[in-house]
Amino acid sequence: DAKTTQPTSMDCAEGRAANLPCNHSTISGNEYVYWYRQIHSQGPQYIIHGLKNNETNEMASLIITEDRKSSTLILPHATLRDTAVYYCIVRGYGGATNKLIFGTGTLLAVQP
Amino acid sequence: SQTIHQWPATLVQPVGSPLSLECTVEGTSNPNLYWYRQAAGRGLQLLFYSVGIGQISSEVPQNLSASRPQDRQFILSSKKLLLSDSSFYLCAWSRGRDGHYEQYFGPGTRLTVT
């Protein structure tokens, strides 16, 4: 699975959009981008995933560049409860194990 | 709906003592099950995963072991704990078929080895 690079930390004002970048320059054609987040002292929570088209759900939007070498997770209106570590993960489709390899992620601090 | 349980929530054990952490899943059948460990301020490390009863794959060599005696039960064990085993242990499950199935995590067990 391709490696990802994320900033260690970011700040965002409450009510503003939070844009979390992820670089995955070695991504291959059959690999998807997944985002999870982990609020302090809790287990990680799935947010969204995508291949090459932009995706949106009730939690966030995922924008993947045309060359697929980077992506951005967008939280449209960040709240204090969105303060968490956000993990960007790249993995291939399929495989019985469905394993995920977590990096160190980005600590997003939403400021009041 | 599906739920995942882990217990205990916190545990303090002396060095050299045994360990048994339990994880159970409700509301689904034949899930993939996973054990992760997270040291303070670090990312998650996958320890074991299982695609079925009695089927365990180890990702990292260590003094821990895992077992899956029932379809929705996953147990993490150690015969003799080390100080370095102090960590936050997380169990997760996903649907067991090929594809994009997100993992759902339990609340975790915070283990302190003294």
Side-chain angles (χ1 to χ4, degrees):
Chain A
D1 292 332
K3 289 189 65 175
T4 62
T5 303
Q6 298 178 254
T8 303
S9 62
M10 293 180 62
D11 288 345
C12 177
E14 189 177 18
R16 306 297 292 267
N19 297 284
L20 293 102
C22 180
N23 287 323
H24 29 80
S25 58
T26 60
I27 193 170
S28 61
N30 67 344
E31 290 183 315
Y32 285 67
V33 181
Y34 288 77
W35 283 84
Y36 282 71
R37 74 179 182 183
Q38 185 177 21
I39 295 170
H40 183 62
S41 295
Q42 297 183 21
Q45 176 190 24
Y46 166 83
I47 301 173
I48 199 168
H49 76 269
L51 179 64
K52 55 184 178 180
N53 297 320
N54 298 339
E55 302 287 345
T56 296
N57 63 20
E58 65 280 2
M59 289 184 69
S61 295
L62 174 60
I63 308 299
I64 302 174
T65 58
E66 191 170 344
D67 64 7
R68 301 206 327 118
K69 293 185 177 182
S70 66
S71 60
T72 301
L73 179 75
I74 301 172
L75 307 179
H77 304 287
T79 70
L80 297 178
R81 289 175 293 182
D82 292 321
T83 292
V85 177
Y86 287 78
Y87 298 98
C88 169
I89 301 165
V90 172
R91 72 173 289 267
Y93 178 85
T97 64
N98 202 25
K99 291 190 296 181
L100 294 172
I101 307 299
F102 287 80
T104 52
T106 296
L107 173 59
L108 174 68
V110 180
Q111 309 292 343
Chain B
S1 63
Q2 301 86 13
T3 55
I4 178 168
H5 304 279
Q6 279 187 251
W7 62 90
T10 59
L11 187 62
V12 180
Q13 292 281 95
V15 169
S17 64
L19 173 73
S20 180
L21 302 180
E22 188 164 345
C23 170
T24 59
V25 181
E26 296 177 356
T28 189
S29 59
N30 195 28
N32 284 357
L33 296 171
Y34 310 83
W35 277 113
Y36 291 85
R37 176 168 66 186
Q38 185 174 36
R42 307 291 294 274
L44 281 79
Q45 178 187 36
L46 179 62
L47 301 175
F48 301 95
Y49 65 90
S50 171
V51 299
I53 295 174
Q55 301 178 60
I56 308 296
S57 295
S58 174
E59 288 292 295
V60 181
Q62 63 237 314
N63 70 321
L64 298 171
S65 62
S67 62
R68 185 171 177 174
Q70 300 180 40
D71 181 45
R72 291 168 290 174
Q73 183 185 31
F74 205 23
I75 297 172
L76 183 69
S77 304
S78 174
K79 292 182 179 178
K80 287 186 177 181
L81 283 169
L82 306 173
L83 285 175
S84 57
D85 291 324
S86 292
S87 196
F88 187 44
Y89 289 85
L90 288 154
C91 180
W93 76 274
S94 71
R95 288 185 176 84
R97 296 192 305 277
D98 198 14
H100 300 286
Y101 297 106
E102 56 263 36
Q103 292 188 15
Y104 301 91
F105 286 78
T109 294
R110 191 161 302 280
L111 171 67
T112 303
V113 182
T114 59

PDB file of all heavy atoms in Angstrom, chain A residues 44-81:
ATOM      1  N   PRO A  44     -10.721   5.062  16.487  1.00  0.00           N
ATOM      2  CA  PRO A  44     -10.901   5.805  15.235  1.00  0.00           C
ATOM      3  C   PRO A  44     -12.299   5.631  14.653  1.00  0.00           C
ATOM      4  O   PRO A  44     -12.971   4.636  14.898  1.00  0.00           O
ATOM      5  CB  PRO A  44      -9.844   5.198  14.308  1.00  0.00           C
ATOM      6  CG  PRO A  44      -8.806   4.651  15.225  1.00  0.00           C
ATOM      7  CD  PRO A  44      -9.579   4.149  16.415  1.00  0.00           C
ATOM      8  N   GLN A  45     -12.700   6.621  13.860  1.00  0.00           N
ATOM      9  CA  GLN A  45     -14.021   6.646  13.231  1.00  0.00           C
ATOM     10  C   GLN A  45     -13.838   6.846  11.739  1.00  0.00           C
ATOM     11  O   GLN A  45     -13.115   7.763  11.318  1.00  0.00           O
ATOM     12  CB  GLN A  45     -14.853   7.781  13.833  1.00  0.00           C
ATOM     13  CG  GLN A  45     -16.209   7.986  13.209  1.00  0.00           C
ATOM     14  CD  GLN A  45     -16.871   9.264  13.688  1.00  0.00           C
ATOM     15  OE1 GLN A  45     -16.216  10.198  14.123  1.00  0.00           O
ATOM     16  NE2 GLN A  45     -18.193   9.304  13.619  1.00  0.00           N
ATOM     17  N   TYR A  46     -14.489   6.021  10.934  1.00  0.00           N
ATOM     18  CA  TYR A  46     -14.449   6.179   9.484  1.00  0.00           C
ATOM     19  C   TYR A  46     -15.132   7.473   9.072  1.00  0.00           C
ATOM     20  O   TYR A  46     -16.183   7.839   9.611  1.00  0.00           O
ATOM     21  CB  TYR A  46     -15.131   4.985   8.828  1.00  0.00           C
ATOM     22  CG  TYR A  46     -15.464   5.167   7.368  1.00  0.00           C
ATOM     23  CD1 TYR A  46     -14.501   4.945   6.388  1.00  0.00           C
ATOM     24  CD2 TYR A  46     -16.735   5.554   6.965  1.00  0.00           C
ATOM     25  CE1 TYR A  46     -14.801   5.095   5.047  1.00  0.00           C
ATOM     26  CE2 TYR A  46     -17.039   5.708   5.625  1.00  0.00           C
ATOM     27  CZ  TYR A  46     -16.071   5.481   4.673  1.00  0.00           C
ATOM     28  OH  TYR A  46     -16.371   5.638   3.354  1.00  0.00           O
ATOM     29  N   ILE A  47     -14.533   8.180   8.100  1.00  0.00           N
ATOM     30  CA  ILE A  47     -15.152   9.410   7.600  1.00  0.00           C
ATOM     31  C   ILE A  47     -15.633   9.229   6.161  1.00  0.00           C
ATOM     32  O   ILE A  47     -16.809   9.392   5.858  1.00  0.00           O
ATOM     33  CB  ILE A  47     -14.176  10.598   7.662  1.00  0.00           C
ATOM     34  CG1 ILE A  47     -13.698  10.833   9.097  1.00  0.00           C
ATOM     35  CG2 ILE A  47     -14.836  11.865   7.112  1.00  0.00           C
ATOM     36  CD1 ILE A  47     -12.601  11.877   9.202  1.00  0.00           C
ATOM     37  N   ILE A  48     -14.725   8.878   5.255  1.00  0.00           N
ATOM     38  CA  ILE A  48     -15.048   8.880   3.835  1.00  0.00           C
ATOM     39  C   ILE A  48     -13.957   8.159   3.076  1.00  0.00           C
ATOM     40  O   ILE A  48     -12.841   7.986   3.592  1.00  0.00           O
ATOM     41  CB  ILE A  48     -15.202  10.336   3.338  1.00  0.00           C
ATOM     42  CG1 ILE A  48     -15.978  10.433   2.030  1.00  0.00           C
ATOM     43  CG2 ILE A  48     -13.838  11.019   3.225  1.00  0.00           C
ATOM     44  CD1 ILE A  48     -16.396  11.863   1.689  1.00  0.00           C
ATOM     45  N   HIS A  49     -14.240   7.707   1.866  1.00  0.00           N
ATOM     46  CA  HIS A  49     -13.188   7.189   1.001  1.00  0.00           C
ATOM     47  C   HIS A  49     -13.524   7.505  -0.454  1.00  0.00           C
ATOM     48  O   HIS A  49     -14.683   7.804  -0.790  1.00  0.00           O
ATOM     49  CB  HIS A  49     -12.972   5.686   1.208  1.00  0.00           C
ATOM     50  CG  HIS A  49     -14.027   4.809   0.586  1.00  0.00           C
ATOM     51  ND1 HIS A  49     -15.150   4.415   1.273  1.00  0.00           N
ATOM     52  CD2 HIS A  49     -14.100   4.227  -0.636  1.00  0.00           C
ATOM     53  CE1 HIS A  49     -15.887   3.638   0.497  1.00  0.00           C
ATOM     54  NE2 HIS A  49     -15.278   3.504  -0.671  1.00  0.00           N
ATOM     55  N   GLY A  50     -12.506   7.457  -1.341  1.00  0.00           N
ATOM     56  CA  GLY A  50     -12.720   7.735  -2.750  1.00  0.00           C
ATOM     57  C   GLY A  50     -11.600   7.193  -3.610  1.00  0.00           C
ATOM     58  O   GLY A  50     -10.518   6.866  -3.107  1.00  0.00           O
ATOM     59  N   LEU A  51     -11.843   7.127  -4.917  1.00  0.00           N
ATOM     60  CA  LEU A  51     -10.849   6.641  -5.877  1.00  0.00           C
ATOM     61  C   LEU A  51     -10.283   7.803  -6.700  1.00  0.00           C
ATOM     62  O   LEU A  51      -9.100   8.086  -6.649  1.00  0.00           O
ATOM     63  CB  LEU A  51     -11.462   5.603  -6.804  1.00  0.00           C
ATOM     64  CG  LEU A  51     -10.533   5.039  -7.871  1.00  0.00           C
ATOM     65  CD1 LEU A  51      -9.381   4.268  -7.241  1.00  0.00           C
ATOM     66  CD2 LEU A  51     -11.293   4.151  -8.849  1.00  0.00           C
ATOM     67  N   LYS A  52     -11.117   8.452  -7.472  1.00  0.00           N
ATOM     68  CA  LYS A  52     -10.637   9.585  -8.260  1.00  0.00           C
ATOM     69  C   LYS A  52     -11.664  10.697  -8.378  1.00  0.00           C
ATOM     70  O   LYS A  52     -11.313  11.831  -8.655  1.00  0.00           O
ATOM     71  CB  LYS A  52     -10.209   9.129  -9.651  1.00  0.00           C
ATOM     72  CG  LYS A  52     -11.276   8.383 -10.429  1.00  0.00           C
ATOM     73  CD  LYS A  52     -10.711   7.904 -11.760  1.00  0.00           C
ATOM     74  CE  LYS A  52     -11.760   7.100 -12.532  1.00  0.00           C
ATOM     75  NZ  LYS A  52     -11.223   6.618 -13.832  1.00  0.00           N
ATOM     76  N   ASN A  53     -12.908  10.369  -8.164  1.00  0.00           N
ATOM     77  CA  ASN A  53     -13.943  11.403  -8.184  1.00  0.00           C
ATOM     78  C   ASN A  53     -14.081  12.013  -6.795  1.00  0.00           C
ATOM     79  O   ASN A  53     -13.817  11.378  -5.788  1.00  0.00           O
ATOM     80  CB  ASN A  53     -15.278  10.806  -8.612  1.00  0.00           C
ATOM     81  CG  ASN A  53     -15.222  10.266 -10.018  1.00  0.00           C
ATOM     82  OD1 ASN A  53     -14.613  10.868 -10.904  1.00  0.00           O
ATOM     83  ND2 ASN A  53     -15.823   9.113 -10.229  1.00  0.00           N
ATOM     84  N   ASN A  54     -14.509  13.255  -6.754  1.00  0.00           N
ATOM     85  CA  ASN A  54     -14.757  13.885  -5.475  1.00  0.00           C
ATOM     86  C   ASN A  54     -15.947  13.207  -4.810  1.00  0.00           C
ATOM     87  O   ASN A  54     -16.899  12.785  -5.478  1.00  0.00           O
ATOM     88  CB  ASN A  54     -15.012  15.372  -5.657  1.00  0.00           C
ATOM     89  CG  ASN A  54     -13.806  16.097  -6.250  1.00  0.00           C
ATOM     90  OD1 ASN A  54     -12.687  15.601  -6.158  1.00  0.00           O
ATOM     91  ND2 ASN A  54     -14.050  17.237  -6.854  1.00  0.00           N
ATOM     92  N   GLU A  55     -15.894  13.089  -3.504  1.00  0.00           N
ATOM     93  CA  GLU A  55     -16.941  12.429  -2.755  1.00  0.00           C
ATOM     94  C   GLU A  55     -17.421  13.336  -1.630  1.00  0.00           C
ATOM     95  O   GLU A  55     -16.646  14.120  -1.078  1.00  0.00           O
ATOM     96  CB  GLU A  55     -16.431  11.112  -2.142  1.00  0.00           C
ATOM     97  CG  GLU A  55     -15.880  10.110  -3.133  1.00  0.00           C
ATOM     98  CD  GLU A  55     -16.951   9.443  -3.976  1.00  0.00           C
ATOM     99  OE1 GLU A  55     -18.144   9.547  -3.604  1.00  0.00           O
ATOM    100  OE2 GLU A  55     -16.601   8.840  -5.003  1.00  0.00           O
ATOM    101  N   THR A  56     -18.692  13.206  -1.302  1.00  0.00           N
ATOM    102  CA  THR A  56     -19.275  13.983  -0.203  1.00  0.00           C
ATOM    103  C   THR A  56     -20.244  13.103   0.560  1.00  0.00           C
ATOM    104  O   THR A  56     -20.993  12.339  -0.038  1.00  0.00           O
ATOM    105  CB  THR A  56     -20.014  15.228  -0.737  1.00  0.00           C
ATOM    106  OG1 THR A  56     -19.074  16.093  -1.361  1.00  0.00           O
ATOM    107  CG2 THR A  56     -20.684  15.988   0.396  1.00  0.00           C
ATOM    108  N   ASN A  57     -20.210  13.219   1.872  1.00  0.00           N
ATOM    109  CA  ASN A  57     -21.227  12.582   2.705  1.00  0.00           C
ATOM    110  C   ASN A  57     -21.612  13.560   3.813  1.00  0.00           C
ATOM    111  O   ASN A  57     -21.234  14.747   3.774  1.00  0.00           O
ATOM    112  CB  ASN A  57     -20.749  11.225   3.233  1.00  0.00           C
ATOM    113  CG  ASN A  57     -19.541  11.329   4.147  1.00  0.00           C
ATOM    114  OD1 ASN A  57     -19.243  12.385   4.694  1.00  0.00           O
ATOM    115  ND2 ASN A  57     -18.850  10.209   4.306  1.00  0.00           N
ATOM    116  N   GLU A  58     -22.339  13.066   4.791  1.00  0.00           N
ATOM    117  CA  GLU A  58     -22.855  13.957   5.818  1.00  0.00           C
ATOM    118  C   GLU A  58     -21.758  14.495   6.730  1.00  0.00           C
ATOM    119  O   GLU A  58     -21.966  15.465   7.449  1.00  0.00           O
ATOM    120  CB  GLU A  58     -23.918  13.234   6.664  1.00  0.00           C
ATOM    121  CG  GLU A  58     -23.399  12.064   7.478  1.00  0.00           C
ATOM    122  CD  GLU A  58     -23.240  10.782   6.666  1.00  0.00           C
ATOM    123  OE1 GLU A  58     -23.509  10.815   5.439  1.00  0.00           O
ATOM    124  OE2 GLU A  58     -22.872   9.754   7.256  1.00  0.00           O
ATOM    125  N   MET A  59     -20.601  13.876   6.705  1.00  0.00           N
ATOM    126  CA  MET A  59     -19.518  14.320   7.580  1.00  0.00           C
ATOM    127  C   MET A  59     -18.556  15.259   6.880  1.00  0.00           C
ATOM    128  O   MET A  59     -18.054  16.212   7.499  1.00  0.00           O
ATOM    129  CB  MET A  59     -18.724  13.124   8.101  1.00  0.00           C
ATOM    130  CG  MET A  59     -19.453  12.274   9.110  1.00  0.00           C
ATOM    131  SD  MET A  59     -18.395  10.949   9.740  1.00  0.00           S
ATOM    132  CE  MET A  59     -17.197  11.886  10.691  1.00  0.00           C
ATOM    133  N   ALA A  60     -18.225  14.969   5.602  1.00  0.00           N
ATOM    134  CA  ALA A  60     -17.121  15.695   4.971  1.00  0.00           C
ATOM    135  C   ALA A  60     -17.165  15.536   3.462  1.00  0.00           C
ATOM    136  O   ALA A  60     -17.967  14.781   2.921  1.00  0.00           O
ATOM    137  CB  ALA A  60     -15.788  15.152   5.500  1.00  0.00           C
ATOM    138  N   SER A  61     -16.255  16.276   2.813  1.00  0.00           N
ATOM    139  CA  SER A  61     -16.019  16.129   1.381  1.00  0.00           C
ATOM    140  C   SER A  61     -14.578  15.712   1.168  1.00  0.00           C
ATOM    141  O   SER A  61     -13.684  16.117   1.935  1.00  0.00           O
ATOM    142  CB  SER A  61     -16.296  17.439   0.643  1.00  0.00           C
ATOM    143  OG  SER A  61     -17.657  17.793   0.724  1.00  0.00           O
ATOM    144  N   LEU A  62     -14.363  14.929   0.124  1.00  0.00           N
ATOM    145  CA  LEU A  62     -13.028  14.481  -0.231  1.00  0.00           C
ATOM    146  C   LEU A  62     -12.737  14.934  -1.656  1.00  0.00           C
ATOM    147  O   LEU A  62     -13.495  14.586  -2.575  1.00  0.00           O
ATOM    148  CB  LEU A  62     -12.920  12.957  -0.132  1.00  0.00           C
ATOM    149  CG  LEU A  62     -11.618  12.313  -0.599  1.00  0.00           C
ATOM    150  CD1 LEU A  62     -10.432  12.841   0.205  1.00  0.00           C
ATOM    151  CD2 LEU A  62     -11.706  10.795  -0.487  1.00  0.00           C
ATOM    152  N   ILE A  63     -11.670  15.722  -1.808  1.00  0.00           N
ATOM    153  CA  ILE A  63     -11.260  16.212  -3.113  1.00  0.00           C
ATOM    154  C   ILE A  63      -9.942  15.528  -3.471  1.00  0.00           C
ATOM    155  O   ILE A  63      -8.959  15.643  -2.732  1.00  0.00           O
ATOM    156  CB  ILE A  63     -11.052  17.737  -3.100  1.00  0.00           C
ATOM    157  CG1 ILE A  63     -12.288  18.447  -2.518  1.00  0.00           C
ATOM    158  CG2 ILE A  63     -10.734  18.238  -4.514  1.00  0.00           C
ATOM    159  CD1 ILE A  63     -13.553  18.224  -3.303  1.00  0.00           C
ATOM    160  N   ILE A  64      -9.933  14.801  -4.579  1.00  0.00           N
ATOM    161  CA  ILE A  64      -8.730  14.102  -5.038  1.00  0.00           C
ATOM    162  C   ILE A  64      -8.260  14.770  -6.311  1.00  0.00           C
ATOM    163  O   ILE A  64      -9.054  14.982  -7.235  1.00  0.00           O
ATOM    164  CB  ILE A  64      -9.030  12.607  -5.271  1.00  0.00           C
ATOM    165  CG1 ILE A  64      -9.555  11.969  -3.982  1.00  0.00           C
ATOM    166  CG2 ILE A  64      -7.774  11.879  -5.754  1.00  0.00           C
ATOM    167  CD1 ILE A  64     -10.014  10.533  -4.147  1.00  0.00           C
ATOM    168  N   THR A  65      -6.984  15.116  -6.386  1.00  0.00           N
ATOM    169  CA  THR A  65      -6.459  15.777  -7.573  1.00  0.00           C
ATOM    170  C   THR A  65      -6.523  14.859  -8.778  1.00  0.00           C
ATOM    171  O   THR A  65      -6.591  13.629  -8.645  1.00  0.00           O
ATOM    172  CB  THR A  65      -5.006  16.228  -7.354  1.00  0.00           C
ATOM    173  OG1 THR A  65      -4.209  15.077  -7.013  1.00  0.00           O
ATOM    174  CG2 THR A  65      -4.919  17.266  -6.244  1.00  0.00           C
ATOM    175  N   GLU A  66      -6.463  15.462  -9.956  1.00  0.00           N
ATOM    176  CA  GLU A  66      -6.618  14.685 -11.176  1.00  0.00           C
ATOM    177  C   GLU A  66      -5.530  13.620 -11.329  1.00  0.00           C
ATOM    178  O   GLU A  66      -5.793  12.517 -11.810  1.00  0.00           O
ATOM    179  CB  GLU A  66      -6.608  15.617 -12.396  1.00  0.00           C
ATOM    180  CG  GLU A  66      -7.032  14.937 -13.683  1.00  0.00           C
ATOM    181  CD  GLU A  66      -7.253  15.927 -14.810  1.00  0.00           C
ATOM    182  OE1 GLU A  66      -7.371  17.140 -14.528  1.00  0.00           O
ATOM    183  OE2 GLU A  66      -7.298  15.494 -15.976  1.00  0.00           O
ATOM    184  N   ASP A  67      -4.310  13.949 -10.905  1.00  0.00           N
ATOM    185  CA  ASP A  67      -3.224  12.958 -10.991  1.00  0.00           C
ATOM    186  C   ASP A  67      -3.235  11.988  -9.808  1.00  0.00           C
ATOM    187  O   ASP A  67      -2.395  11.088  -9.742  1.00  0.00           O
ATOM    188  CB  ASP A  67      -1.861  13.640 -11.100  1.00  0.00           C
ATOM    189  CG  ASP A  67      -1.505  14.463  -9.876  1.00  0.00           C
ATOM    190  OD1 ASP A  67      -2.251  14.414  -8.874  1.00  0.00           O
ATOM    191  OD2 ASP A  67      -0.482  15.165  -9.917  1.00  0.00           O
ATOM    192  N   ARG A  68      -4.142  12.199  -8.871  1.00  0.00           N
ATOM    193  CA  ARG A  68      -4.367  11.345  -7.697  1.00  0.00           C
ATOM    194  C   ARG A  68      -3.191  11.317  -6.742  1.00  0.00           C
ATOM    195  O   ARG A  68      -3.111  10.466  -5.870  1.00  0.00           O
ATOM    196  CB  ARG A  68      -4.740   9.929  -8.117  1.00  0.00           C
ATOM    197  CG  ARG A  68      -5.970   9.847  -8.963  1.00  0.00           C
ATOM    198  CD  ARG A  68      -6.727   8.551  -8.923  1.00  0.00           C
ATOM    199  NE  ARG A  68      -5.914   7.383  -8.750  1.00  0.00           N
ATOM    200  CZ  ARG A  68      -6.017   6.572  -7.702  1.00  0.00           C
ATOM    201  NH1 ARG A  68      -6.866   6.816  -6.720  1.00  0.00           N
ATOM    202  NH2 ARG A  68      -5.260   5.491  -7.624  1.00  0.00           N
ATOM    203  N   LYS A  69      -2.271  12.236  -6.866  1.00  0.00           N
ATOM    204  CA  LYS A  69      -1.102  12.228  -5.998  1.00  0.00           C
ATOM    205  C   LYS A  69      -1.346  12.961  -4.682  1.00  0.00           C
ATOM    206  O   LYS A  69      -0.494  12.941  -3.778  1.00  0.00           O
ATOM    207  CB  LYS A  69       0.098  12.819  -6.723  1.00  0.00           C
ATOM    208  CG  LYS A  69       0.567  11.952  -7.881  1.00  0.00           C
ATOM    209  CD  LYS A  69       1.832  12.480  -8.512  1.00  0.00           C
ATOM    210  CE  LYS A  69       2.296  11.527  -9.627  1.00  0.00           C
ATOM    211  NZ  LYS A  69       3.553  11.980 -10.251  1.00  0.00           N
ATOM    212  N   SER A  70      -2.464  13.614  -4.558  1.00  0.00           N
ATOM    213  CA  SER A  70      -2.803  14.262  -3.297  1.00  0.00           C
ATOM    214  C   SER A  70      -4.316  14.386  -3.161  1.00  0.00           C
ATOM    215  O   SER A  70      -5.047  14.247  -4.153  1.00  0.00           O
ATOM    216  CB  SER A  70      -2.144  15.638  -3.182  1.00  0.00           C
ATOM    217  OG  SER A  70      -2.679  16.514  -4.152  1.00  0.00           O
ATOM    218  N   SER A  71      -4.745  14.628  -1.931  1.00  0.00           N
ATOM    219  CA  SER A  71      -6.173  14.803  -1.681  1.00  0.00           C
ATOM    220  C   SER A  71      -6.355  15.759  -0.514  1.00  0.00           C
ATOM    221  O   SER A  71      -5.408  16.052   0.239  1.00  0.00           O
ATOM    222  CB  SER A  71      -6.843  13.449  -1.385  1.00  0.00           C
ATOM    223  OG  SER A  71      -6.273  12.834  -0.241  1.00  0.00           O
ATOM    224  N   THR A  72      -7.577  16.255  -0.386  1.00  0.00           N
ATOM    225  CA  THR A  72      -7.915  17.160   0.705  1.00  0.00           C
ATOM    226  C   THR A  72      -9.245  16.739   1.311  1.00  0.00           C
ATOM    227  O   THR A  72     -10.224  16.535   0.584  1.00  0.00           O
ATOM    228  CB  THR A  72      -8.034  18.618   0.220  1.00  0.00           C
ATOM    229  OG1 THR A  72      -6.791  19.015  -0.356  1.00  0.00           O
ATOM    230  CG2 THR A  72      -8.380  19.551   1.373  1.00  0.00           C
ATOM    231  N   LEU A  73      -9.250  16.596   2.608  1.00  0.00           N
ATOM    232  CA  LEU A  73     -10.489  16.356   3.332  1.00  0.00           C
ATOM    233  C   LEU A  73     -11.021  17.699   3.795  1.00  0.00           C
ATOM    234  O   LEU A  73     -10.280  18.494   4.390  1.00  0.00           O
ATOM    235  CB  LEU A  73     -10.242  15.456   4.544  1.00  0.00           C
ATOM    236  CG  LEU A  73     -11.478  15.155   5.392  1.00  0.00           C
ATOM    237  CD1 LEU A  73     -12.370  14.146   4.676  1.00  0.00           C
ATOM    238  CD2 LEU A  73     -11.090  14.632   6.769  1.00  0.00           C
ATOM    239  N   ILE A  74     -12.290  17.954   3.531  1.00  0.00           N
ATOM    240  CA  ILE A  74     -12.887  19.234   3.904  1.00  0.00           C
ATOM    241  C   ILE A  74     -14.024  19.010   4.891  1.00  0.00           C
ATOM    242  O   ILE A  74     -14.977  18.267   4.603  1.00  0.00           O
ATOM    243  CB  ILE A  74     -13.426  19.976   2.667  1.00  0.00           C
ATOM    244  CG1 ILE A  74     -12.289  20.232   1.669  1.00  0.00           C
ATOM    245  CG2 ILE A  74     -14.084  21.295   3.077  1.00  0.00           C
ATOM    246  CD1 ILE A  74     -12.754  20.780   0.340  1.00  0.00           C
ATOM    247  N   LEU A  75     -13.894  19.640   6.052  1.00  0.00           N
ATOM    248  CA  LEU A  75     -14.996  19.700   7.013  1.00  0.00           C
ATOM    249  C   LEU A  75     -15.621  21.080   6.823  1.00  0.00           C
ATOM    250  O   LEU A  75     -15.002  22.085   7.168  1.00  0.00           O
ATOM    251  CB  LEU A  75     -14.483  19.525   8.444  1.00  0.00           C
ATOM    252  CG  LEU A  75     -13.620  18.303   8.719  1.00  0.00           C
ATOM    253  CD1 LEU A  75     -13.178  18.290  10.184  1.00  0.00           C
ATOM    254  CD2 LEU A  75     -14.350  17.029   8.379  1.00  0.00           C
ATOM    255  N   PRO A  76     -16.806  21.199   6.285  1.00  0.00           N
ATOM    256  CA  PRO A  76     -17.312  22.502   5.821  1.00  0.00           C
ATOM    257  C   PRO A  76     -17.530  23.531   6.927  1.00  0.00           C
ATOM    258  O   PRO A  76     -17.308  24.713   6.714  1.00  0.00           O
ATOM    259  CB  PRO A  76     -18.618  22.140   5.119  1.00  0.00           C
ATOM    260  CG  PRO A  76     -18.987  20.797   5.621  1.00  0.00           C
ATOM    261  CD  PRO A  76     -17.722  20.096   5.975  1.00  0.00           C
ATOM    262  N   HIS A  77     -17.941  23.090   8.087  1.00  0.00           N
ATOM    263  CA  HIS A  77     -18.188  24.019   9.190  1.00  0.00           C
ATOM    264  C   HIS A  77     -17.670  23.365  10.478  1.00  0.00           C
ATOM    265  O   HIS A  77     -18.414  22.682  11.178  1.00  0.00           O
ATOM    266  CB  HIS A  77     -19.682  24.339   9.320  1.00  0.00           C
ATOM    267  CG  HIS A  77     -20.305  24.874   8.070  1.00  0.00           C
ATOM    268  ND1 HIS A  77     -20.067  26.149   7.599  1.00  0.00           N
ATOM    269  CD2 HIS A  77     -21.124  24.274   7.169  1.00  0.00           C
ATOM    270  CE1 HIS A  77     -20.742  26.323   6.468  1.00  0.00           C
ATOM    271  NE2 HIS A  77     -21.377  25.210   6.180  1.00  0.00           N
ATOM    272  N   ALA A  78     -16.409  23.559  10.743  1.00  0.00           N
ATOM    273  CA  ALA A  78     -15.783  22.853  11.867  1.00  0.00           C
ATOM    274  C   ALA A  78     -16.380  23.286  13.202  1.00  0.00           C
ATOM    275  O   ALA A  78     -16.668  24.473  13.423  1.00  0.00           O
ATOM    276  CB  ALA A  78     -14.281  23.114  11.862  1.00  0.00           C
ATOM    277  N   THR A  79     -16.559  22.318  14.084  1.00  0.00           N
ATOM    278  CA  THR A  79     -17.007  22.592  15.445  1.00  0.00           C
ATOM    279  C   THR A  79     -15.937  22.099  16.408  1.00  0.00           C
ATOM    280  O   THR A  79     -15.011  21.379  16.018  1.00  0.00           O
ATOM    281  CB  THR A  79     -18.328  21.882  15.761  1.00  0.00           C
ATOM    282  OG1 THR A  79     -18.073  20.471  15.848  1.00  0.00           O
ATOM    283  CG2 THR A  79     -19.372  22.146  14.679  1.00  0.00           C
ATOM    284  N   LEU A  80     -16.083  22.479  17.664  1.00  0.00           N
ATOM    285  CA  LEU A  80     -15.099  22.068  18.666  1.00  0.00           C
ATOM    286  C   LEU A  80     -15.015  20.544  18.744  1.00  0.00           C
ATOM    287  O   LEU A  80     -13.952  19.977  19.029  1.00  0.00           O
ATOM    288  CB  LEU A  80     -15.453  22.657  20.035  1.00  0.00           C
ATOM    289  CG  LEU A  80     -15.445  24.182  20.128  1.00  0.00           C
ATOM    290  CD1 LEU A  80     -15.868  24.626  21.528  1.00  0.00           C
ATOM    291  CD2 LEU A  80     -14.083  24.747  19.784  1.00  0.00           C
ATOM    292  N   ARG A  81     -16.131  19.861  18.477  1.00  0.00           N
ATOM    293  CA  ARG A  81     -16.134  18.399  18.529  1.00  0.00           C
ATOM    294  C   ARG A  81     -15.371  17.756  17.382  1.00  0.00           C
ATOM    295  O   ARG A  81     -15.168  16.534  17.387  1.00  0.00           O
ATOM    296  CB  ARG A  81     -17.576  17.893  18.534  1.00  0.00           C
ATOM    297  CG  ARG A  81     -18.316  18.155  19.846  1.00  0.00           C
ATOM    298  CD  ARG A  81     -19.759  17.760  19.756  1.00  0.00           C
ATOM    299  NE  ARG A  81     -20.498  18.614  18.814  1.00  0.00           N
ATOM    300  CZ  ARG A  81     -21.784  18.523  18.564  1.00  0.00           C
ATOM    301  NH1 ARG A  81     -22.498  17.587  19.165  1.00  0.00           N
ATOM    302  NH2 ARG A  81     -22.373  19.334  17.715  1.00  0.00           N
TER     303      ARG A  81
END
